[in-house]
Amino acid sequence: MDSFVQSLADLFKRAYELGIEEGRKQPLVETKMLRRKDLPEQFGIKVDAFDEYYRDKGFPYYQEGSQRKYYAPAVHLWLLNHQQHNN
């Protein structure tokens, strides 16, 4: 009986781990294109700060004619990869 209970516990644990793994694959940000003026609402980046600190520092964008657009998941990933922590 103990081996049955242990097997059941292992099964539930594995199902839980798979659920967590699948949840992490879900996008945290909507898959949409943004304009510069949309960045404050979506990411809390003020337009002036964006122009000064982000725009020409490798920030991901898509050029559409003379206008730049920003793919929200790419921006989110870029911000995560370029965070600085103060201790």
Side-chain angles (χ1 to χ4, degrees), residues 28-41:
L28 299 174
V29 178
E30 286 185 59
T31 55
K32 62 182 178 180
M33 298 301 286
L34 304 170
R35 291 168 296 179
R36 179 175 158 264
K37 70 178 187 174
D38 298 325
L39 295 172
E41 181 181 330

Side-chain angles (χ1 to χ4, degrees), residues 4 19 43-44 51 64 77 84:
F4 174 73
F43 293 103
D51 291 341
E64 189 173 278
L77 185 60
Q84 294 182 357

Side-chain angles (χ1 to χ4, degrees), residues 11-60:
L11 177 67
F12 286 132
K13 181 180 176 186
R14 184 67 186 137
Y16 173 78
E17 290 169 350
L18 286 172
I20 294 294
E21 188 176 316
E22 283 299 311
R24 288 185 176 145
K25 292 178 185 176
Q26 299 300 314
L28 299 174
V29 178
E30 286 185 59
T31 55
K32 62 182 178 180
M33 298 301 286
L34 304 170
R35 291 168 296 179
R36 179 175 158 264
K37 70 178 187 174
D38 298 325
L39 295 172
E41 181 181 330
Q42 186 75 30
F43 293 103
I45 301 171
K46 293 181 181 175
V47 173
D48 294 341
F50 169 73
D51 291 341
E52 187 174 343
Y53 299 109
Y54 298 99
R55 177 179 272 193
D56 297 320
K57 307 260 188 326
F59 201 79

